Amino acid sequence: MTLQLGVLISGRGSNLQAILDAIAAGTLDARVRLVVANRPDAAGLTRAKAAGITTAVVEHKAFGDRTTFEHALVALLTRASCDWIVLAGFMRILTREFLSAFPERVVNIHPSLLPAFPGLDAQAQALAYGVHVTGCTVHLVDEGVDHGPILAQTTLEVEPADTRDILAGRLLEKEHALLIATLAAIASDRLSIEPAATGDARPTARWRGAPPRV
Amino acid sequence: MTLQLGVLISGRGSNLQAILDAIAAGTLDARVRLVVANRPDAAGLTRAKAAGITTAVVEHKAFGDRTTFEHALVALLTRASCDWIVLAGFMRILTREFLSAFPERVVNIHPSLLPAFPGLDAQAQALAYGVHVTGCTVHLVDEGVDHGPILAQTTLEVEPADTRDILAGRLLEKEHALLIATLAAIASDRLSIEPAATGDARPTARWRGAPPRV
């Protein structure tokens, strides 16, 4: 089925661009119904407008609390008929207020092999730790920071020449490919999400065939 | 140079066996001077004796405190002229008392891509989390749990059929290969350790050429 995507951004939106490019190339059966930024200066808004996508700015600073901010986001995304939400460099933690509106349908991409290096600047964290292998992770969002069930992961070897920015750039290519491959698998029913069996368990990603190697 | 190894074990000592096999096969320039177990029933003691290696049992329970236990270990290992110490399934945390006797010369192998899944049963932790990729790590030991500077890492994809024991078995083969490759690189001077530049920094592993892929 064609995914009806809402994409949340805070910055340049390079993962949004990857989605738009994949849709244009026919490799992803999806439509971006709405792009929402929580900052009016998010450069990704320009990309979205250039592609003829409806955009909105919902400044978290303008809301008195997290709950009303998230209610505003939900209202916009549901009115636009979004059924899957992609966090593409969206730098706000989402709570149950938001997540319960899209149960097990909020996806995030993170530039590390989670659970290693959650949070800000995972690339710098990985370099500082001195790992030999890092990667990126596409996962369902839950209330933890970069914590939800893993949908797909891919690895990248750290090279001696890697600075933070070189590594981030190399990871970004992997992020784009892994995010597109994962969304395409959801759209074509090769990846499905089984709800948690019990209250303690987490939902499980079920792949038909092997997860993507990118 | 030929590494003079002291190997500490708590259990069956399969990594000890891998070391002994690699020495016998001529792929590792080392000599195991002493194997110490902290449990008299550690099955690895039998392997060591079968290979003609001197063994000792130092039961941590027999010592009033950690310091005297570690002093006894250091006394045995230094008397046996060990210059590198390998923790091969050794299930006790070591403190500064021990580590200061062998600065940056205590090596551990851990069945995860650290810093993910430190501590006990990393394989079960990885399965429970639902990662798609895990691996193993050879690192220098510091006072944290599975925390010291990384010397080498290798990855392993988790398969749908993996149970805890299947995954542990598949990782064990990787552990053996990575540990031997790392020790061989130290012996042949392809891997050297640079001490920490400042008090805050960690020592750094410097590879001449690429780290091993196993």
Side-chain angles (χ1 to χ4, degrees):
Chain A
M1 88 231 114
T2 305
L3 303 183
Q4 307 296 324
L5 299 180
V7 182
L8 273 53
I9 62 172
S10 295
R12 59 186 166 165
S14 80
N15 277 304
L16 166 64
Q17 189 67 56
I19 291 171
L20 295 173
D21 291 348
I23 293 171
T27 53
L28 172 61
D29 182 11
R31 184 175 159 193
V32 178
R33 305 294 301 239
L34 182 65
V35 170
V36 186
N38 67 324
R39 302 165 52 108
D41 59 348
L45 291 168
T46 309
R47 293 181 197 263
K49 286 172 190 158
I53 311 290
T54 306
T55 63
V57 174
V58 183
E59 287 189 83
H60 59 271
K61 289 180 187 166
F63 291 85
D65 57 46
R66 207 181 277 269
T67 301
T68 49
F69 167 66
E70 293 192 4
H71 281 170
L73 283 178
V74 169
L76 280 167
L77 291 161
T78 52
R79 201 179 313 146
S81 303
C82 301
D83 55 14
W84 283 85
I85 311 300
V86 179
L87 309 188
F90 183 70
M91 304 300 279
R92 304 291 299 171
I93 306 289
L94 294 169
T95 71
R96 187 176 300 271
E97 298 294 333
F98 183 91
L99 297 171
S100 62
F102 305 99
E104 286 142 32
R105 287 180 169 234
V106 183
V107 170
N108 185 42
I109 172 96
H110 184 79
S112 76
L113 289 176
L114 291 171
F117 312 124
L120 292 176
D121 209 345
Q123 304 94 335
Q125 290 186 58
L127 277 182
Y129 196 95
V131 292
H132 286 211
V133 182
T134 185
C136 50
T137 303
V138 177
H139 65 95
L140 292 182
V141 176
D142 67 10
E143 293 183 82
V145 175
D146 301 319
H147 173 265
I150 289 170
L151 301 182
Q153 291 188 302
T154 192
T155 61
L156 182 71
E157 289 181 17
V158 179
E159 305 288 348
D162 278 331
T163 61
R164 188 268 170 205
D165 287 349
I166 292 172
L167 181 62
R170 298 203 302 128
L171 278 168
L172 201 56
E173 290 178 39
K174 292 271 190 179
E175 289 176 50
H176 296 165
L178 194 71
L179 177 61
I180 299 308
T182 305
L183 293 174
I186 293 171
S188 64
D189 226 22
R190 284 175 291 122
L191 170 59
S192 56
I193 315 295
E194 292 181 6
T198 66
D200 287 347
R202 317 210 299 172
T204 310
R206 290 277 170 227
W207 284 86
R208 272 177 274 289
R213 296 286 143 245
V214 302
Chain B
M1 88 232 111
T2 305
L3 303 182
Q4 306 297 322
L5 298 180
V7 182
L8 273 52
I9 62 173
S10 295
R12 59 186 167 165
S14 80
N15 277 304
L16 165 64
Q17 189 66 57
I19 291 170
L20 295 173
D21 291 348
I23 293 171
T27 52
L28 172 60
D29 182 11
R31 184 175 158 193
V32 178
R33 304 294 301 238
L34 181 66
V35 170
V36 185
N38 67 323
R39 304 165 51 108
D41 59 348
L45 290 169
T46 310
R47 294 181 198 262
K49 287 172 190 160
I53 311 291
T54 306
T55 63
V57 174
V58 182
E59 287 191 83
H60 58 269
K61 289 179 188 168
F63 290 85
D65 56 47
R66 207 181 277 269
T67 301
T68 49
F69 167 66
E70 293 193 3
H71 280 171
L73 283 178
V74 169
L76 280 167
L77 291 162
T78 52
R79 201 179 315 145
S81 303
C82 301
D83 55 16
W84 283 84
I85 311 300
V86 179
L87 309 188
F90 183 70
M91 304 299 280
R92 302 292 299 171
I93 306 289
L94 294 170
T95 70
R96 187 175 298 273
E97 298 294 333
F98 183 91
L99 297 172
S100 63
F102 305 99
E104 286 142 32
R105 287 182 167 232
V106 183
V107 170
N108 185 42
I109 172 96
H110 184 79
S112 77
L113 288 177
L114 291 172
F117 311 124
L120 292 176
D121 210 344
Q123 304 95 334
Q125 290 185 57
L127 278 182
Y129 196 96
V131 292
H132 286 210
V133 182
T134 185
C136 50
T137 303
V138 177
H139 66 94
L140 292 183
V141 176
D142 68 10
E143 293 183 81
V145 175
D146 301 319
H147 172 267
I150 288 170
L151 301 182
Q153 291 188 302
T154 192
T155 60
L156 182 71
E157 289 180 18
V158 179
E159 305 288 349
D162 277 330
T163 61
R164 187 268 170 205
D165 288 350
I166 292 172
L167 181 61
R170 298 204 300 127
L171 278 169
L172 200 55
E173 290 178 39
K174 292 271 191 179
E175 289 176 50
H176 296 165
L178 194 71
L179 177 59
I180 298 308
T182 305
L183 293 175
I186 294 170
S188 63
D189 227 22
R190 284 175 292 121
L191 170 59
S192 56
I193 315 297
E194 292 181 5
T198 67
D200 287 348
R202 316 209 304 170
T204 310
R206 290 277 169 227
W207 284 86
R208 272 176 275 289
R213 295 286 143 245
V214 302

